[in-house]
Amino acid sequence: MPERSTRAMIVEKADTLFYEGGFEATSFADIAAVVGISRGNFYHHFKTKDDILDAVIARRIEQTRGMLALWEAEGDGPRARILSFIRMLIANRAKIMAFGCPVGTLCSELAKLDHGAQGRAAEILGLFRDWLAGQFRALGAGDRAEALALHVLSWSQGVAVMASAFRDETFLHSEVAGIEAWLSTVPDPAPLT
Amino acid sequence: MPERSTRAMIVEKADTLFYEGGFEATSFADIAAVVGISRGNFYHHFKTKDDILDAVIARRIEQTRGMLALWEAEGDGPRARILSFIRMLIANRAKIMAFGCPVGTLCSELAKLDHGAQGRAAEILGLFRDWLAGQFRALGAGDRAEALALHVLSWSQGVAVMASAFRDETFLHSEVAGIEAWLSTVPDPAPLT
DNA sequence: CAAGAATTAGGACAATTGACCTAGTCTCGT
DNA sequence: ACGAGACTAGGTCAATTGTCCTAATTCTTG
């Protein structure tokens, strides 16, 4: 066991619990039990539940940055990099079918709770959008790069919602194949899509 | 004021509150306050919170059936009927940008809560899927009708998630235009999508 | 080693939760 | 008009919530 810092453990476990059970439904007691510390303890690390959420979002932003940088470093060209993004849906299919997209579902929940951190959660989607737009620009998509990026992002969000609603892995695979086929038509995609 | 039955009022208000605030985050007290009855009262109408959820889902299923039947009755042909579905995104844009799709977000939340009613909530999406598949079949899509239906449904779910995350109405309009353009290529759509 | 800081445990707190109960009030068929 | 059943109000219940406090333990550093 790597024995990370208690604070890091709290954030890591809270991240998982927020994803799999939702932010609102996850209590301090739940997190404390999973981390293996006493309830009162982590008021030394986080004063409020919102502080934990902030830390979780910050962690996700950092991890997303790292992942995008990694894909960027793999010199496979922009088309292959976009495929790396799309294939997250396949790599994480079990969790996605059970709990949806971690980012999309968090944004949706925070929107309903009218929570101030909703904007920061949406920043994670913004990171993907900007990175994808960069790849499409490298493909010569020019002004349409951002629209194409939003389209891929939106498409994958829809697939995540549907796959978890119907728990249908076949659908997930066929839609991913659809995205890949569409991608092969960029930067001159079929009419307006 | 039509003065509906108390039970109908509870279900109606609970529906709105579940949509705008989430199921978990909505308390008995919230519903009672909005309906204007005492807390203890509606244990005469619903024994548990899950019973209210069941009633809300049943109401939504019924309303969805009614809406689909209405579109079916408008003899505008299958293509125009599919457009009616797509344009819900425009008609309800304010609420969608604030709270996402009522059905998609409910399914996501119930999946995280591991709630038994998740399957019934997904039935609502199933109604749309089957109805859309019928329209695509009428367009001559044959075996691909169901896949096309799932695609439209998935696309609109993605648009709803993204529009609420970014609160971007421009994006919503442009994606709807994209869906409509794609629809005009059916039953011979662009490669594989 | 000793002193001070950082960390931890284990409670306590008021508020809220879903659930339940009882005792009134209203409605309506006879 | 009267009695049964539907409806409602308001209170109670244990459990859980986020928050906070204090005392003990561990760690660091001079």
PDB file of all heavy atoms in Angstrom, chain A residues 19-20 99 105 112 118 122 151 154-155 157-159 161-162 164-165 175 190, chain B residues 19-20 99 105 112 118 122 151 154-155 157-159 161-162 164-165 175 190:
ATOM      1  N   TYR A  19     -18.932   9.857  -7.549  1.00  0.00           N
ATOM      2  CA  TYR A  19     -19.240   9.324  -8.876  1.00  0.00           C
ATOM      3  C   TYR A  19     -20.295   8.220  -8.783  1.00  0.00           C
ATOM      4  O   TYR A  19     -21.309   8.241  -9.483  1.00  0.00           O
ATOM      5  CB  TYR A  19     -17.963   8.795  -9.524  1.00  0.00           C
ATOM      6  CG  TYR A  19     -18.177   8.082 -10.836  1.00  0.00           C
ATOM      7  CD1 TYR A  19     -19.179   8.480 -11.731  1.00  0.00           C
ATOM      8  CD2 TYR A  19     -17.382   6.993 -11.209  1.00  0.00           C
ATOM      9  CE1 TYR A  19     -19.376   7.832 -12.937  1.00  0.00           C
ATOM     10  CE2 TYR A  19     -17.574   6.335 -12.414  1.00  0.00           C
ATOM     11  CZ  TYR A  19     -18.581   6.754 -13.279  1.00  0.00           C
ATOM     12  OH  TYR A  19     -18.767   6.103 -14.462  1.00  0.00           O
ATOM     13  N   GLU A  20     -20.074   7.269  -7.902  1.00  0.00           N
ATOM     14  CA  GLU A  20     -20.919   6.079  -7.897  1.00  0.00           C
ATOM     15  C   GLU A  20     -22.227   6.262  -7.132  1.00  0.00           C
ATOM     16  O   GLU A  20     -23.182   5.527  -7.354  1.00  0.00           O
ATOM     17  CB  GLU A  20     -20.133   4.892  -7.312  1.00  0.00           C
ATOM     18  CG  GLU A  20     -18.870   4.592  -8.113  1.00  0.00           C
ATOM     19  CD  GLU A  20     -18.134   3.364  -7.611  1.00  0.00           C
ATOM     20  OE1 GLU A  20     -18.552   2.796  -6.577  1.00  0.00           O
ATOM     21  OE2 GLU A  20     -17.129   2.982  -8.256  1.00  0.00           O
ATOM     22  N   PHE A  99     -22.973   3.966 -13.878  1.00  0.00           N
ATOM     23  CA  PHE A  99     -23.084   5.284 -13.240  1.00  0.00           C
ATOM     24  C   PHE A  99     -23.052   6.463 -14.206  1.00  0.00           C
ATOM     25  O   PHE A  99     -23.095   7.607 -13.766  1.00  0.00           O
ATOM     26  CB  PHE A  99     -21.952   5.454 -12.221  1.00  0.00           C
ATOM     27  CG  PHE A  99     -21.774   4.281 -11.302  1.00  0.00           C
ATOM     28  CD1 PHE A  99     -20.638   3.485 -11.368  1.00  0.00           C
ATOM     29  CD2 PHE A  99     -22.754   3.951 -10.376  1.00  0.00           C
ATOM     30  CE1 PHE A  99     -20.465   2.403 -10.534  1.00  0.00           C
ATOM     31  CE2 PHE A  99     -22.600   2.869  -9.534  1.00  0.00           C
ATOM     32  CZ  PHE A  99     -21.449   2.077  -9.601  1.00  0.00           C
ATOM     33  N   THR A 105     -22.601  13.539 -15.283  1.00  0.00           N
ATOM     34  CA  THR A 105     -23.581  13.339 -14.215  1.00  0.00           C
ATOM     35  C   THR A 105     -23.335  14.306 -13.057  1.00  0.00           C
ATOM     36  O   THR A 105     -24.286  14.762 -12.421  1.00  0.00           O
ATOM     37  CB  THR A 105     -23.544  11.894 -13.696  1.00  0.00           C
ATOM     38  OG1 THR A 105     -22.201  11.545 -13.344  1.00  0.00           O
ATOM     39  CG2 THR A 105     -24.055  10.925 -14.757  1.00  0.00           C
ATOM     40  N   LYS A 112     -28.918  20.882 -10.712  1.00  0.00           N
ATOM     41  CA  LYS A 112     -30.183  20.748  -9.984  1.00  0.00           C
ATOM     42  C   LYS A 112     -30.071  21.294  -8.566  1.00  0.00           C
ATOM     43  O   LYS A 112     -30.995  21.871  -8.030  1.00  0.00           O
ATOM     44  CB  LYS A 112     -30.609  19.283  -9.945  1.00  0.00           C
ATOM     45  CG  LYS A 112     -31.272  18.811 -11.227  1.00  0.00           C
ATOM     46  CD  LYS A 112     -31.688  17.369 -11.111  1.00  0.00           C
ATOM     47  CE  LYS A 112     -31.927  16.748 -12.474  1.00  0.00           C
ATOM     48  NZ  LYS A 112     -33.166  17.212 -13.107  1.00  0.00           N
ATOM     49  N   GLN A 118     -20.927  24.248  -9.821  1.00  0.00           N
ATOM     50  CA  GLN A 118     -21.327  23.690 -11.111  1.00  0.00           C
ATOM     51  C   GLN A 118     -20.434  24.224 -12.235  1.00  0.00           C
ATOM     52  O   GLN A 118     -20.043  23.474 -13.132  1.00  0.00           O
ATOM     53  CB  GLN A 118     -22.802  24.016 -11.397  1.00  0.00           C
ATOM     54  CG  GLN A 118     -23.435  23.164 -12.489  1.00  0.00           C
ATOM     55  CD  GLN A 118     -23.352  23.843 -13.857  1.00  0.00           C
ATOM     56  OE1 GLN A 118     -22.998  25.001 -13.963  1.00  0.00           O
ATOM     57  NE2 GLN A 118     -23.668  23.088 -14.895  1.00  0.00           N
ATOM     58  N   ALA A 122     -18.106  22.123 -14.845  1.00  0.00           N
ATOM     59  CA  ALA A 122     -18.223  22.255 -16.297  1.00  0.00           C
ATOM     60  C   ALA A 122     -16.870  22.571 -16.934  1.00  0.00           C
ATOM     61  O   ALA A 122     -16.653  22.295 -18.111  1.00  0.00           O
ATOM     62  CB  ALA A 122     -19.244  23.334 -16.653  1.00  0.00           C
ATOM     63  N   HIS A 151     -19.407  18.777 -30.746  1.00  0.00           N
ATOM     64  CA  HIS A 151     -20.228  17.693 -31.275  1.00  0.00           C
ATOM     65  C   HIS A 151     -19.759  16.342 -30.751  1.00  0.00           C
ATOM     66  O   HIS A 151     -20.571  15.522 -30.303  1.00  0.00           O
ATOM     67  CB  HIS A 151     -20.184  17.721 -32.795  1.00  0.00           C
ATOM     68  CG  HIS A 151     -21.071  16.702 -33.433  1.00  0.00           C
ATOM     69  ND1 HIS A 151     -22.436  16.689 -33.244  1.00  0.00           N
ATOM     70  CD2 HIS A 151     -20.791  15.657 -34.238  1.00  0.00           C
ATOM     71  CE1 HIS A 151     -22.949  15.670 -33.913  1.00  0.00           C
ATOM     72  NE2 HIS A 151     -21.974  15.016 -34.520  1.00  0.00           N
ATOM     73  N   SER A 154     -20.592  16.166 -27.034  1.00  0.00           N
ATOM     74  CA  SER A 154     -22.023  15.988 -26.843  1.00  0.00           C
ATOM     75  C   SER A 154     -22.445  14.570 -27.206  1.00  0.00           C
ATOM     76  O   SER A 154     -23.237  13.938 -26.490  1.00  0.00           O
ATOM     77  CB  SER A 154     -22.758  17.001 -27.726  1.00  0.00           C
ATOM     78  OG  SER A 154     -24.115  16.681 -27.819  1.00  0.00           O
ATOM     79  N   TRP A 155     -21.897  14.078 -28.291  1.00  0.00           N
ATOM     80  CA  TRP A 155     -22.225  12.727 -28.733  1.00  0.00           C
ATOM     81  C   TRP A 155     -21.861  11.711 -27.650  1.00  0.00           C
ATOM     82  O   TRP A 155     -22.657  10.840 -27.283  1.00  0.00           O
ATOM     83  CB  TRP A 155     -21.474  12.412 -30.024  1.00  0.00           C
ATOM     84  CG  TRP A 155     -22.038  11.275 -30.814  1.00  0.00           C
ATOM     85  CD1 TRP A 155     -22.831  10.267 -30.356  1.00  0.00           C
ATOM     86  CD2 TRP A 155     -21.859  11.040 -32.208  1.00  0.00           C
ATOM     87  NE1 TRP A 155     -23.136   9.411 -31.378  1.00  0.00           N
ATOM     88  CE2 TRP A 155     -22.557   9.855 -32.533  1.00  0.00           C
ATOM     89  CE3 TRP A 155     -21.161  11.696 -33.231  1.00  0.00           C
ATOM     90  CZ2 TRP A 155     -22.583   9.323 -33.817  1.00  0.00           C
ATOM     91  CZ3 TRP A 155     -21.186  11.161 -34.512  1.00  0.00           C
ATOM     92  CH2 TRP A 155     -21.890   9.994 -34.800  1.00  0.00           C
ATOM     93  N   GLN A 157     -21.475  12.239 -24.488  1.00  0.00           N
ATOM     94  CA  GLN A 157     -22.347  12.410 -23.327  1.00  0.00           C
ATOM     95  C   GLN A 157     -23.678  11.702 -23.541  1.00  0.00           C
ATOM     96  O   GLN A 157     -24.193  11.038 -22.631  1.00  0.00           O
ATOM     97  CB  GLN A 157     -22.594  13.899 -23.063  1.00  0.00           C
ATOM     98  CG  GLN A 157     -21.417  14.625 -22.445  1.00  0.00           C
ATOM     99  CD  GLN A 157     -21.070  14.108 -21.065  1.00  0.00           C
ATOM    100  OE1 GLN A 157     -21.939  13.782 -20.271  1.00  0.00           O
ATOM    101  NE2 GLN A 157     -19.776  13.987 -20.781  1.00  0.00           N
ATOM    102  N   GLY A 158     -24.225  11.840 -24.731  1.00  0.00           N
ATOM    103  CA  GLY A 158     -25.478  11.165 -25.032  1.00  0.00           C
ATOM    104  C   GLY A 158     -25.340   9.657 -24.942  1.00  0.00           C
ATOM    105  O   GLY A 158     -26.194   8.975 -24.374  1.00  0.00           O
ATOM    106  N   VAL A 159     -24.238   9.140 -25.468  1.00  0.00           N
ATOM    107  CA  VAL A 159     -24.006   7.693 -25.412  1.00  0.00           C
ATOM    108  C   VAL A 159     -23.919   7.239 -23.960  1.00  0.00           C
ATOM    109  O   VAL A 159     -24.488   6.203 -23.583  1.00  0.00           O
ATOM    110  CB  VAL A 159     -22.715   7.331 -26.177  1.00  0.00           C
ATOM    111  CG1 VAL A 159     -22.343   5.874 -25.920  1.00  0.00           C
ATOM    112  CG2 VAL A 159     -22.891   7.588 -27.667  1.00  0.00           C
ATOM    113  N   VAL A 161     -25.278   8.622 -21.262  1.00  0.00           N
ATOM    114  CA  VAL A 161     -26.604   8.652 -20.637  1.00  0.00           C
ATOM    115  C   VAL A 161     -27.432   7.453 -21.076  1.00  0.00           C
ATOM    116  O   VAL A 161     -28.023   6.738 -20.243  1.00  0.00           O
ATOM    117  CB  VAL A 161     -27.349   9.963 -20.987  1.00  0.00           C
ATOM    118  CG1 VAL A 161     -28.805   9.886 -20.537  1.00  0.00           C
ATOM    119  CG2 VAL A 161     -26.662  11.159 -20.353  1.00  0.00           C
ATOM    120  N   MET A 162     -27.461   7.220 -22.362  1.00  0.00           N
ATOM    121  CA  MET A 162     -28.282   6.129 -22.888  1.00  0.00           C
ATOM    122  C   MET A 162     -27.772   4.768 -22.448  1.00  0.00           C
ATOM    123  O   MET A 162     -28.557   3.876 -22.095  1.00  0.00           O
ATOM    124  CB  MET A 162     -28.299   6.204 -24.416  1.00  0.00           C
ATOM    125  CG  MET A 162     -28.961   7.446 -24.953  1.00  0.00           C
ATOM    126  SD  MET A 162     -30.745   7.345 -24.836  1.00  0.00           S
ATOM    127  CE  MET A 162     -31.056   6.079 -26.043  1.00  0.00           C
ATOM    128  N   SER A 164     -26.204   3.998 -19.785  1.00  0.00           N
ATOM    129  CA  SER A 164     -26.492   3.730 -18.379  1.00  0.00           C
ATOM    130  C   SER A 164     -27.992   3.570 -18.155  1.00  0.00           C
ATOM    131  O   SER A 164     -28.416   2.789 -17.308  1.00  0.00           O
ATOM    132  CB  SER A 164     -25.918   4.832 -17.490  1.00  0.00           C
ATOM    133  OG  SER A 164     -26.760   5.950 -17.461  1.00  0.00           O
ATOM    134  N   ALA A 165     -28.810   4.293 -18.918  1.00  0.00           N
ATOM    135  CA  ALA A 165     -30.255   4.154 -18.765  1.00  0.00           C
ATOM    136  C   ALA A 165     -30.709   2.760 -19.186  1.00  0.00           C
ATOM    137  O   ALA A 165     -31.484   2.116 -18.471  1.00  0.00           O
ATOM    138  CB  ALA A 165     -30.984   5.222 -19.581  1.00  0.00           C
ATOM    139  N   GLU A 175     -22.519   2.804 -31.185  1.00  0.00           N
ATOM    140  CA  GLU A 175     -22.418   4.261 -31.275  1.00  0.00           C
ATOM    141  C   GLU A 175     -20.960   4.705 -31.359  1.00  0.00           C
ATOM    142  O   GLU A 175     -20.627   5.649 -32.064  1.00  0.00           O
ATOM    143  CB  GLU A 175     -23.098   4.922 -30.068  1.00  0.00           C
ATOM    144  CG  GLU A 175     -24.609   4.975 -30.159  1.00  0.00           C
ATOM    145  CD  GLU A 175     -25.110   5.933 -31.234  1.00  0.00           C
ATOM    146  OE1 GLU A 175     -24.792   7.133 -31.167  1.00  0.00           O
ATOM    147  OE2 GLU A 175     -25.823   5.487 -32.149  1.00  0.00           O
ATOM    148  N   ALA A 190     -19.987  14.741 -43.279  1.00  0.00           N
ATOM    149  CA  ALA A 190     -21.306  14.683 -43.907  1.00  0.00           C
ATOM    150  C   ALA A 190     -22.102  15.919 -43.513  1.00  0.00           C
ATOM    151  O   ALA A 190     -21.841  16.538 -42.493  1.00  0.00           O
ATOM    152  CB  ALA A 190     -22.022  13.421 -43.440  1.00  0.00           C
TER     153      ALA A 190
ATOM    154  N   TYR B  19     -37.705  17.122 -10.804  1.00  0.00           N
ATOM    155  CA  TYR B  19     -36.997  17.574 -12.002  1.00  0.00           C
ATOM    156  C   TYR B  19     -36.024  18.700 -11.676  1.00  0.00           C
ATOM    157  O   TYR B  19     -34.835  18.630 -12.014  1.00  0.00           O
ATOM    158  CB  TYR B  19     -38.001  18.038 -13.058  1.00  0.00           C
ATOM    159  CG  TYR B  19     -37.381  18.655 -14.285  1.00  0.00           C
ATOM    160  CD1 TYR B  19     -36.154  18.199 -14.783  1.00  0.00           C
ATOM    161  CD2 TYR B  19     -38.002  19.691 -14.971  1.00  0.00           C
ATOM    162  CE1 TYR B  19     -35.590  18.760 -15.913  1.00  0.00           C
ATOM    163  CE2 TYR B  19     -37.450  20.251 -16.097  1.00  0.00           C
ATOM    164  CZ  TYR B  19     -36.238  19.789 -16.577  1.00  0.00           C
ATOM    165  OH  TYR B  19     -35.678  20.362 -17.691  1.00  0.00           O
ATOM    166  N   GLU B  20     -36.508  19.693 -10.977  1.00  0.00           N
ATOM    167  CA  GLU B  20     -35.692  20.895 -10.786  1.00  0.00           C
ATOM    168  C   GLU B  20     -34.686  20.773  -9.649  1.00  0.00           C
ATOM    169  O   GLU B  20     -33.697  21.497  -9.619  1.00  0.00           O
ATOM    170  CB  GLU B  20     -36.611  22.105 -10.569  1.00  0.00           C
ATOM    171  CG  GLU B  20     -37.535  22.350 -11.746  1.00  0.00           C
ATOM    172  CD  GLU B  20     -38.387  23.594 -11.575  1.00  0.00           C
ATOM    173  OE1 GLU B  20     -38.309  24.228 -10.512  1.00  0.00           O
ATOM    174  OE2 GLU B  20     -39.135  23.921 -12.526  1.00  0.00           O
ATOM    175  N   PHE B  99     -31.852  22.600 -15.982  1.00  0.00           N
ATOM    176  CA  PHE B  99     -31.958  21.335 -15.242  1.00  0.00           C
ATOM    177  C   PHE B  99     -31.700  20.091 -16.090  1.00  0.00           C
ATOM    178  O   PHE B  99     -31.811  18.985 -15.585  1.00  0.00           O
ATOM    179  CB  PHE B  99     -33.353  21.220 -14.609  1.00  0.00           C
ATOM    180  CG  PHE B  99     -33.801  22.450 -13.886  1.00  0.00           C
ATOM    181  CD1 PHE B  99     -34.862  23.213 -14.358  1.00  0.00           C
ATOM    182  CD2 PHE B  99     -33.144  22.862 -12.732  1.00  0.00           C
ATOM    183  CE1 PHE B  99     -35.280  24.359 -13.685  1.00  0.00           C
ATOM    184  CE2 PHE B  99     -33.554  23.999 -12.055  1.00  0.00           C
ATOM    185  CZ  PHE B  99     -34.621  24.757 -12.535  1.00  0.00           C
ATOM    186  N   THR B 105     -31.872  12.939 -16.744  1.00  0.00           N
ATOM    187  CA  THR B 105     -31.272  13.229 -15.443  1.00  0.00           C
ATOM    188  C   THR B 105     -31.880  12.354 -14.348  1.00  0.00           C
ATOM    189  O   THR B 105     -31.180  11.946 -13.418  1.00  0.00           O
ATOM    190  CB  THR B 105     -31.462  14.712 -15.066  1.00  0.00           C
ATOM    191  OG1 THR B 105     -32.839  15.064 -15.166  1.00  0.00           O
ATOM    192  CG2 THR B 105     -30.634  15.602 -15.984  1.00  0.00           C
ATOM    193  N   LYS B 112     -27.402   6.009  -9.930  1.00  0.00           N
ATOM    194  CA  LYS B 112     -26.424   6.212  -8.857  1.00  0.00           C
ATOM    195  C   LYS B 112     -26.974   5.781  -7.510  1.00  0.00           C
ATOM    196  O   LYS B 112     -26.263   5.251  -6.668  1.00  0.00           O
ATOM    197  CB  LYS B 112     -25.994   7.680  -8.797  1.00  0.00           C
ATOM    198  CG  LYS B 112     -24.942   8.049  -9.831  1.00  0.00           C
ATOM    199  CD  LYS B 112     -24.561   9.503  -9.690  1.00  0.00           C
ATOM    200  CE  LYS B 112     -23.902  10.035 -10.943  1.00  0.00           C
ATOM    201  NZ  LYS B 112     -22.545   9.537 -11.131  1.00  0.00           N
ATOM    202  N   GLN B 118     -35.300   2.652 -11.341  1.00  0.00           N
ATOM    203  CA  GLN B 118     -34.513   3.115 -12.485  1.00  0.00           C
ATOM    204  C   GLN B 118     -35.014   2.494 -13.783  1.00  0.00           C
ATOM    205  O   GLN B 118     -35.091   3.171 -14.820  1.00  0.00           O
ATOM    206  CB  GLN B 118     -33.028   2.779 -12.261  1.00  0.00           C
ATOM    207  CG  GLN B 118     -32.054   3.547 -13.155  1.00  0.00           C
ATOM    208  CD  GLN B 118     -31.730   2.790 -14.437  1.00  0.00           C
ATOM    209  OE1 GLN B 118     -32.078   1.640 -14.596  1.00  0.00           O
ATOM    210  NE2 GLN B 118     -31.077   3.487 -15.364  1.00  0.00           N
ATOM    211  N   ALA B 122     -36.388   4.376 -17.138  1.00  0.00           N
ATOM    212  CA  ALA B 122     -35.826   4.146 -18.467  1.00  0.00           C
ATOM    213  C   ALA B 122     -36.913   3.769 -19.467  1.00  0.00           C
ATOM    214  O   ALA B 122     -36.747   3.966 -20.674  1.00  0.00           O
ATOM    215  CB  ALA B 122     -34.763   3.058 -18.402  1.00  0.00           C
ATOM    216  N   HIS B 151     -30.151   6.581 -32.020  1.00  0.00           N
ATOM    217  CA  HIS B 151     -29.198   7.636 -32.346  1.00  0.00           C
ATOM    218  C   HIS B 151     -29.786   9.022 -32.097  1.00  0.00           C
ATOM    219  O   HIS B 151     -29.146   9.875 -31.476  1.00  0.00           O
ATOM    220  CB  HIS B 151     -28.757   7.491 -33.803  1.00  0.00           C
ATOM    221  CG  HIS B 151     -27.715   8.473 -34.208  1.00  0.00           C
ATOM    222  ND1 HIS B 151     -26.470   8.534 -33.599  1.00  0.00           N
ATOM    223  CD2 HIS B 151     -27.705   9.455 -35.144  1.00  0.00           C
ATOM    224  CE1 HIS B 151     -25.768   9.503 -34.156  1.00  0.00           C
ATOM    225  NE2 HIS B 151     -26.485  10.082 -35.089  1.00  0.00           N
ATOM    226  N   SER B 154     -30.156   9.475 -28.330  1.00  0.00           N
ATOM    227  CA  SER B 154     -28.848   9.681 -27.724  1.00  0.00           C
ATOM    228  C   SER B 154     -28.314  11.076 -28.025  1.00  0.00           C
ATOM    229  O   SER B 154     -27.774  11.764 -27.151  1.00  0.00           O
ATOM    230  CB  SER B 154     -27.879   8.616 -28.252  1.00  0.00           C
ATOM    231  OG  SER B 154     -26.561   8.940 -27.934  1.00  0.00           O
ATOM    232  N   TRP B 155     -28.493  11.481 -29.256  1.00  0.00           N
ATOM    233  CA  TRP B 155     -28.014  12.800 -29.656  1.00  0.00           C
ATOM    234  C   TRP B 155     -28.695  13.884 -28.824  1.00  0.00           C
ATOM    235  O   TRP B 155     -28.040  14.785 -28.297  1.00  0.00           O
ATOM    236  CB  TRP B 155     -28.314  13.006 -31.136  1.00  0.00           C
ATOM    237  CG  TRP B 155     -27.520  14.094 -31.809  1.00  0.00           C
ATOM    238  CD1 TRP B 155     -26.890  15.151 -31.202  1.00  0.00           C
ATOM    239  CD2 TRP B 155     -27.268  14.227 -33.206  1.00  0.00           C
ATOM    240  NE1 TRP B 155     -26.272  15.927 -32.128  1.00  0.00           N
ATOM    241  CE2 TRP B 155     -26.487  15.382 -33.385  1.00  0.00           C
ATOM    242  CE3 TRP B 155     -27.629  13.494 -34.341  1.00  0.00           C
ATOM    243  CZ2 TRP B 155     -26.056  15.815 -34.642  1.00  0.00           C
ATOM    244  CZ3 TRP B 155     -27.200  13.934 -35.582  1.00  0.00           C
ATOM    245  CH2 TRP B 155     -26.421  15.079 -35.726  1.00  0.00           C
ATOM    246  N   GLN B 157     -30.057  13.570 -25.922  1.00  0.00           N
ATOM    247  CA  GLN B 157     -29.596  13.492 -24.533  1.00  0.00           C
ATOM    248  C   GLN B 157     -28.267  14.213 -24.373  1.00  0.00           C
ATOM    249  O   GLN B 157     -28.046  14.942 -23.407  1.00  0.00           O
ATOM    250  CB  GLN B 157     -29.450  12.028 -24.102  1.00  0.00           C
ATOM    251  CG  GLN B 157     -30.765  11.330 -23.821  1.00  0.00           C
ATOM    252  CD  GLN B 157     -31.523  11.946 -22.664  1.00  0.00           C
ATOM    253  OE1 GLN B 157     -30.948  12.344 -21.656  1.00  0.00           O
ATOM    254  NE2 GLN B 157     -32.821  12.072 -22.824  1.00  0.00           N
ATOM    255  N   GLY B 158     -27.376  13.993 -25.323  1.00  0.00           N
ATOM    256  CA  GLY B 158     -26.079  14.663 -25.263  1.00  0.00           C
ATOM    257  C   GLY B 158     -26.218  16.172 -25.325  1.00  0.00           C
ATOM    258  O   GLY B 158     -25.571  16.900 -24.563  1.00  0.00           O
ATOM    259  N   VAL B 159     -27.084  16.623 -26.202  1.00  0.00           N
ATOM    260  CA  VAL B 159     -27.315  18.063 -26.324  1.00  0.00           C
ATOM    261  C   VAL B 159     -27.839  18.623 -25.009  1.00  0.00           C
ATOM    262  O   VAL B 159     -27.411  19.690 -24.546  1.00  0.00           O
ATOM    263  CB  VAL B 159     -28.293  18.362 -27.485  1.00  0.00           C
ATOM    264  CG1 VAL B 159     -28.706  19.825 -27.460  1.00  0.00           C
ATOM    265  CG2 VAL B 159     -27.657  17.999 -28.819  1.00  0.00           C
ATOM    266  N   VAL B 161     -27.408  17.453 -21.921  1.00  0.00           N
ATOM    267  CA  VAL B 161     -26.343  17.480 -20.911  1.00  0.00           C
ATOM    268  C   VAL B 161     -25.406  18.662 -21.153  1.00  0.00           C
ATOM    269  O   VAL B 161     -25.094  19.430 -20.221  1.00  0.00           O
ATOM    270  CB  VAL B 161     -25.539  16.163 -20.925  1.00  0.00           C
ATOM    271  CG1 VAL B 161     -24.294  16.289 -20.055  1.00  0.00           C
ATOM    272  CG2 VAL B 161     -26.392  15.008 -20.457  1.00  0.00           C
ATOM    273  N   MET B 162     -24.983  18.816 -22.402  1.00  0.00           N
ATOM    274  CA  MET B 162     -24.018  19.870 -22.714  1.00  0.00           C
ATOM    275  C   MET B 162     -24.630  21.260 -22.553  1.00  0.00           C
ATOM    276  O   MET B 162     -23.988  22.177 -22.041  1.00  0.00           O
ATOM    277  CB  MET B 162     -23.526  19.689 -24.147  1.00  0.00           C
ATOM    278  CG  MET B 162     -22.751  18.414 -24.365  1.00  0.00           C
ATOM    279  SD  MET B 162     -21.088  18.520 -23.702  1.00  0.00           S
ATOM    280  CE  MET B 162     -20.395  19.713 -24.833  1.00  0.00           C
ATOM    281  N   SER B 164     -26.944  22.193 -20.572  1.00  0.00           N
ATOM    282  CA  SER B 164     -27.097  22.568 -19.170  1.00  0.00           C
ATOM    283  C   SER B 164     -25.741  22.770 -18.507  1.00  0.00           C
ATOM    284  O   SER B 164     -25.588  23.622 -17.634  1.00  0.00           O
ATOM    285  CB  SER B 164     -27.922  21.532 -18.417  1.00  0.00           C
ATOM    286  OG  SER B 164     -27.144  20.425 -18.043  1.00  0.00           O
ATOM    287  N   ALA B 165     -24.746  21.995 -18.917  1.00  0.00           N
ATOM    288  CA  ALA B 165     -23.421  22.173 -18.325  1.00  0.00           C
ATOM    289  C   ALA B 165     -22.848  23.538 -18.682  1.00  0.00           C
ATOM    290  O   ALA B 165     -22.317  24.237 -17.819  1.00  0.00           O
ATOM    291  CB  ALA B 165     -22.482  21.062 -18.796  1.00  0.00           C
ATOM    292  N   GLU B 175     -26.882  22.514 -32.606  1.00  0.00           N
ATOM    293  CA  GLU B 175     -26.968  21.059 -32.618  1.00  0.00           C
ATOM    294  C   GLU B 175     -28.323  20.596 -33.127  1.00  0.00           C
ATOM    295  O   GLU B 175     -28.418  19.596 -33.842  1.00  0.00           O
ATOM    296  CB  GLU B 175     -26.694  20.494 -31.216  1.00  0.00           C
ATOM    297  CG  GLU B 175     -25.226  20.469 -30.833  1.00  0.00           C
ATOM    298  CD  GLU B 175     -24.420  19.425 -31.617  1.00  0.00           C
ATOM    299  OE1 GLU B 175     -24.781  18.248 -31.572  1.00  0.00           O
ATOM    300  OE2 GLU B 175     -23.446  19.804 -32.281  1.00  0.00           O
ATOM    301  N   ALA B 190     -25.629   9.719 -43.896  1.00  0.00           N
ATOM    302  CA  ALA B 190     -24.168   9.746 -44.077  1.00  0.00           C
ATOM    303  C   ALA B 190     -23.560   8.527 -43.375  1.00  0.00           C
ATOM    304  O   ALA B 190     -24.140   7.973 -42.442  1.00  0.00           O
ATOM    305  CB  ALA B 190     -23.617  11.032 -43.484  1.00  0.00           C
TER     306      ALA B 190
END
